Every structure is written in structure tokens, then in C-alpha cells.
Amino acid sequence: MIVVVAAVIERSDRRLLIGQRRRGDSSPLKWEFPGGKVEQGETPEVALARELREELGVTLQKCVELGRVRHKYASKPEELEIRFYAASVAGNEITPKTFEQTAWALPKELADYDFLAANSQLIAQLATGRIKPNELLASATNLPTK
């Protein structure tokens, strides 16, 4: 099984950062939360910090796991376990490096975007307010280790 991490980054205005995959990627032009595969020897939190540096040029400050989902895409041989994290990053400036485009969307607007199938349960919980990333982060104290 491949473990994947994804960051749900919420601004103070409640908008969430989402990215659109590039045209040449697998699942082209689908929307997703920033993140990627956990590499050999990495903890999920370290992988999340690395992916956010690589994809957005930002430093992870704090994260707390929101939930996990297992998903099998027909085009992939292995099942994925996706671990979603509420995440805060240093500064407000992002530099998207691996996306066709990025957007800051309100939770209720997420359904308007064509997301990867594995994100559907999380999107429903965010849209209905059952999960509030910044509230979870406020009670968290962990920092990723390098």
C-alpha cells in the first residue's frame, strides 16, 4: 500500500488552499489538496513538510491529522492510504511549483471543483462544517521533525 499525505491549509477567512493537477499528470486537471507520497524512511509529518516545500515553497509550522481514507484507482495497481492533515504554514506567500493553478475556496464551494475521487468524503465533511481545520490546529501542539 502506498501512503500519501495531503494538507488542508485554511486561511483566517476560512478559505482552503486547493491545487489543480497539471495537464500531463495522472488524473489531469483534477483538483486536490497539496501533498504527495511518503518516501522510504519518512514519517508522514516529515513527508508533508517536504511536499509543501517542493509544491508550494512554504514551511510547515504545525499539523494535526484529520482522517484517513483508503482508495483504489482503476488505473493504479496499488491501493492508496491518504492521510489528511490540517496544516499551518509560515507566511502568507505561496509559490505554486507543481500545479496548473491554485485557488483559495470556501468549504461550501469545494463541490464546484472536479476533485480526485479519494477526496470526496473529506470535502463533504469540510463543506458541512463537521471538520474545521483551524479549530483542530488551535488545540494541537505538534511540530514536524526534519
Side-chain angles (χ1 to χ4, degrees):
M1 179 176 319
I2 297 171
V3 178
V4 174
V5 292
V8 181
I9 301 168
E10 182 180 8
R11 290 193 315 204
S12 60
D13 63 1
R14 298 211 51 238
R15 291 182 180 272
L16 305 170
L17 180 64
I18 57 175
Q20 187 180 40
R21 296 170 78 98
R22 289 184 175 160
R23 292 178 194 281
D25 290 347
S26 61
S27 302
L29 303 179
K30 293 280 190 179
W31 290 85
E32 65 182 352
F33 295 99
K37 292 178 189 155
V38 177
E39 302 292 342
Q40 182 90 22
E42 283 183 322
T43 65
E45 294 81 6
V46 168
L48 188 65
R50 176 184 51 75
E51 288 286 346
L52 292 176
R53 270 192 315 275
E54 290 173 3
E55 292 186 354
L56 302 170
V58 296
T59 302
L60 178 64
Q61 289 184 312
K62 187 192 278 190
C63 65
V64 61
E65 190 172 327
L66 295 174
R68 298 177 186 194
V69 65
R70 287 187 175 186
H71 192 82
K72 172 80 173 73
Y73 287 100
S75 61
K76 303 273 185 194
E78 271 192 87
E79 184 178 41
L80 300 177
E81 178 182 80
I82 302 142
R83 299 181 185 186
F84 295 100
Y85 289 84
S88 63
V89 296
N92 291 324
E93 292 299 315
I94 62 164
T95 306
K97 300 175 182 182
T98 60
F99 292 110
E100 188 78 17
Q101 63 180 319
T102 58
W104 290 96
L106 289 169
K108 66 182 180 182
E109 297 169 345
L110 294 175
D112 298 337
Y113 293 86
D114 186 16
F115 270 87
L116 291 168
N119 290 259
S120 61
Q121 187 177 11
L122 175 65
I123 289 168
Q125 292 176 326
L126 289 164
T128 58
R130 281 180 281 188
I131 292 180
K132 297 179 179 175
N134 280 350
E135 287 182 14
L136 292 168
L137 279 171
S139 63
T141 58
N142 71 321
L143 291 173
T145 55
K146 297 191 184 216

